[in-house]
Amino acid sequence: MEKQQQFRRTKRIEVRFGVERASYLGFTVDVSATGLFLKTSTVFPPQTDLVLELTLPDQGILSLRGTVMWSKRVPPQLARHVKKAGMGIELIEPSAAYREFVALLAVVPVPSAVD
């Protein structure tokens, strides 16, 4: 399996997700143009297709679809203490709005020159 080489940006975003409807809650740890890591105690097995609803900082909601690439189940009481408790999700045809959101995260402000 080839390791993902995409730019990843640490970003915590509320995500509702599920197989047919978004009925579970999780939070992103990092995002990229092609996928995201979803921290949650509710995990699905690899190759499961999910619907995702990301609540953006401006309170807009992005609807996406993705496939679980890997998952790690951890008891709910330990989930906040384990770094990789959740699922790695590859997005299926991410929308232009999602790609734009990730691209804006990648823009690093240039410090202004001080005289």
Side-chain angles (χ1 to χ4, degrees):
M1 182 178 203
E2 188 175 312
K3 181 141 175 87
Q4 180 182 2
Q5 296 299 316
Q6 289 286 326
F7 167 82
R8 292 183 184 191
R9 182 72 169 166
T10 301
K11 185 69 176 171
R12 187 175 194 268
I13 303 168
E14 180 180 299
V15 180
R16 298 243 174 230
F17 65 95
V19 174
E20 292 184 17
R21 64 186 185 103
S23 53
Y24 300 100
L25 178 64
F27 293 90
T28 62
V29 173
D30 61 52
V31 296
S32 76
T34 59
L36 54 89
F37 170 59
L38 183 60
K39 188 168 184 90
T40 179
S41 59
T42 304
V43 299
F44 291 91
Q47 303 310 312
T48 303
D49 287 342
L50 300 175
V51 294
L52 307 158
E53 294 179 353
L54 282 69
T55 303
L56 299 182
D58 67 1
Q59 299 304 307
I61 295 179
L62 281 180
S63 296
L64 302 166
R65 295 192 56 79
T67 301
V68 177
M69 301 308 290
W70 62 268
S71 61
K72 182 174 182 180
R73 184 179 308 273
V74 175
Q77 63 272 25
L78 297 177
R80 76 173 118 184
H81 303 292
V82 177
K83 187 174 182 180
K84 290 290 185 179
M87 300 179 286
I89 299 175
E90 181 178 6
L91 297 175
I92 301 168
E93 297 180 18
S95 68
Y98 175 80
R99 290 191 312 269
E100 182 179 316
F101 172 72
V102 172
L104 288 173
L105 293 176
V107 176
V108 178
V110 176
S112 60
V114 178
D115 292 318

